[in-house]
Amino acid sequence: MYCVGIDIGGMSIKAGVVDENGKIKKHGRVVTDVDGGAEKIADDIAGLVSSLADFSDPDFAGVGVGSPGAIDSAHGIVNRAYNLKWTDVPLADMLYKRLRNKPVKMSNDANVAALGETVYGAGKAYSDTVTITLGTGVGGGIVIDNKLYEGYGSKGAELGHMVIVVDGEQCSCGRRGCMEAYCSATALIRDTKKAMLENKSSAMWKFSPSLDDVDGRTAFECSKSGDKSAVAVVDNFVKYLGEGMLNFANIFRPQAIILGGGVCAQGKYLTDKLDAYCKARNYGFEGVPKFDIAVAELGNDAGIIGAAALILADGVAV
Amino acid sequence: MYCVGIDIGGMSIKAGVVDENGKIKKHGRVVTDVDGGAEKIADDIAGLVSSLADFSDPDFAGVGVGSPGAIDSAHGIVNRAYNLKWTDVPLADMLYKRLRNKPVKMSNDANVAALGETVYGAGKAYSDTVTITLGTGVGGGIVIDNKLYEGYGSKGAELGHMVIVVDGEQCSCGRRGCMEAYCSATALIRDTKKAMLENKSSAMWKFSPSLDDVDGRTAFECSKSGDKSAVAVVDNFVKYLGEGMLNFANIFRPQAIILGGGVCAQGKYLTDKLDAYCKARNYGFEGVPKFDIAVAELGNDAGIIGAAALILADGVAV
């Protein structure tokens, strides 16, 4: 059995033939023709699928789609996707008609990536995970018993928008103090710049000679050689991320929390610090299970593989 | 069809015959013989059930039990219950043997009460709810598609222990800044006393002439006549509770959040303020569903009715 996973992005639509072990066997890609509208994009996706899979092959089980925006997964509708300029687009139905009635399942791209990591990536030893992706924003997904949990109407699982500091830093969502405002790469860069401005002799100025050069690595790399300002930035980042992770632990008690996004290139240097922070503060009484911390393994393929998992692993919670 | 719901408390064990509409038809009660040990308590529960239900009646469907502590619901084991002095007590099995092999289901008392409120109480118009109980601590439960969600191994859903203020007020769980440390009756009383000490001319001193007289009503009642210090305490309470509720909304997107506990005697005075706070801050883009706010209706019967719902509504999530 195999299926095609589709990862719709604002710039390009990526596709892959994915086997039942979650391995991508063939890749495809087409530019996202946002101005062409939804019908054109559906045509393009159908073209991609046709170029990759043989409809007469009984092993071709269907098509999974990860889309940005607010998705009604149960009905395969993209309710809102700003970067695609879509409102209430019934994409699953549009594809089903174009794909000779092959099964089509759809979900939010971040959720789908979390499913992919859990079923085929860093979480494959686990059935219950929370995935947190630390990028420009903070996103992620919740997997319960190997199925995606997306909240009622598939409108929840907005993991980055849990306030951990009432009245804290301004968040893009309008509230203050969200996890995203402390644990995104954007927040890390903001805090790194602030620390550099406060200490003109920090080694971070050598790593990133101007503030425009600062990225998510600056504080982490300089903390490794003991630069005090860099260490403070990293410790702070670990603290806020750790508090967010502990919150999810107390709600979901996942077997593992999987971290994704560029910051996770720090690997064990980051996860060891997080592990120490969280183990010392895990909730409550003796016998409460602690959680493992894993780093996402599927990289840019998580979207394609996770979309495929919607079909291969029957991934969407009812 | 009917069943018996059992609500184990530290002082007494309450029982009720509950019909399929969630109505209690007969009550029973026995003192909790903590020093007698688990076998004695199982005997006492079996005695209560026998006094209330007829085992030969095919309409008698089984027994649901709500127990304090950390429960393994899937296996009916009380892993830890400090006030019962229990560790790994297989209570469901112990009852099953004593109850002529009638079905026995068990879960945590706070979770069970949330299930009862959702299926038969304030949440009966909804399938997906979060219940938050504001008492000495803050507890609650999560209901997804009319079934309890308790986290992996039924060790999650610790709703009061979500940090909303990193480095904030000390919480009983060891962390700082948990929702419990801001939204419990204990926290409300702490903040009320603090405001009174800061303003010796506050009307709160008339309502509660000494600090020992302060309870969860002091600030609320005095805020109604416009006492500035009382209004500030209430506004602050609403703000922190609202932020916690918005966090749960972004994760679960429940149709309703049900509030329980003594503070909810304030009814519409409290929920109107919360509603205004939350509606102005609901996450994100157009089209994200807002949630209703309801006040728990079952009172002290929520435990019995919720325990019964484990059987009547097949309430535990797999």
Side-chain angles (χ1 to χ4, degrees), chain A residues 61 111 225:
Chain A
N111 291 349
S225 48

Side-chain angles (χ1 to χ4, degrees), chain B residues 146-219:
Chain B
N146 278 315
K147 297 199 183 301
L148 264 182
Y149 172 69
E150 303 184 295
Y152 183 73
S154 47
K155 295 295 187 300
E158 290 290 352
L159 302 186
H161 299 289
M162 171 175 66
V163 165
I164 55 174
V165 184
V166 170
D167 291 333
E169 297 282 351
Q170 183 63 49
C171 183
S172 63
C173 76
R175 290 169 78 199
R176 302 189 75 97
C178 288
M179 205 174 159
E180 175 165 305
Y182 290 86
C183 307
S184 60
T186 315
L188 174 60
I189 291 168
R190 174 200 67 209
D191 291 346
T192 302
K193 288 179 178 174
K194 194 170 160 223
M196 287 168 69
L197 287 171
E198 284 168 1
N199 180 4
K200 296 283 187 176
S201 63
S202 163
M204 293 190 283
W205 286 105
K206 282 178 197 140
F207 190 88
S208 301
S210 94
L211 290 181
D212 289 341
D213 301 323
V214 173
D215 63 21
R217 295 170 304 163
T218 307

Side-chain angles (χ1 to χ4, degrees), chain A residues 69-70 80 82 127-128 142 144-145 149-153 155-159 161-167 173 175-176 178 239-240 242-244 246-255 277 281-289 318, chain B residues 69-70 80 82 127-128 142 144-145 149-153 155-159 161-167 173 175-176 178 239-240 242-244 246-255 277 281-289 318:
Chain A
R80 295 283 187 292
Y82 284 127
S127 61
D128 289 60
I142 301 153
I144 298 172
D145 197 18
Y149 173 69
E150 303 184 295
Y152 184 73
K155 294 297 187 299
E158 291 288 354
L159 301 187
H161 299 290
M162 171 175 66
V163 165
I164 54 174
V165 185
V166 170
D167 291 333
C173 76
R175 290 169 78 200
R176 302 190 75 97
C178 289
K239 170 177 164 171
Y240 287 93
E243 291 293 337
L246 288 163
N247 281 358
F248 291 128
N250 285 347
I251 296 170
F252 295 103
R253 200 67 63 205
Q255 298 163 292
Y277 189 90
R281 292 165 181 83
N282 201 42
Y283 172 70
F285 43 82
E286 198 192 339
V288 168
V318 184
Chain B
R80 295 283 187 291
Y82 284 125
S127 61
D128 290 60
I142 301 153
I144 299 173
D145 196 19
Y149 172 69
E150 303 184 295
Y152 183 73
K155 295 295 187 300
E158 290 290 352
L159 302 186
H161 299 289
M162 171 175 66
V163 165
I164 55 174
V165 184
V166 170
D167 291 333
C173 76
R175 290 169 78 199
R176 302 189 75 97
C178 288
K239 170 176 164 171
Y240 287 95
E243 291 293 338
L246 288 164
N247 281 358
F248 292 128
N250 286 346
I251 295 170
F252 295 102
R253 203 64 67 202
Q255 297 163 294
Y277 189 90
R281 291 165 181 83
N282 203 36
Y283 170 72
F285 43 81
E286 198 192 340
V288 169
V318 184

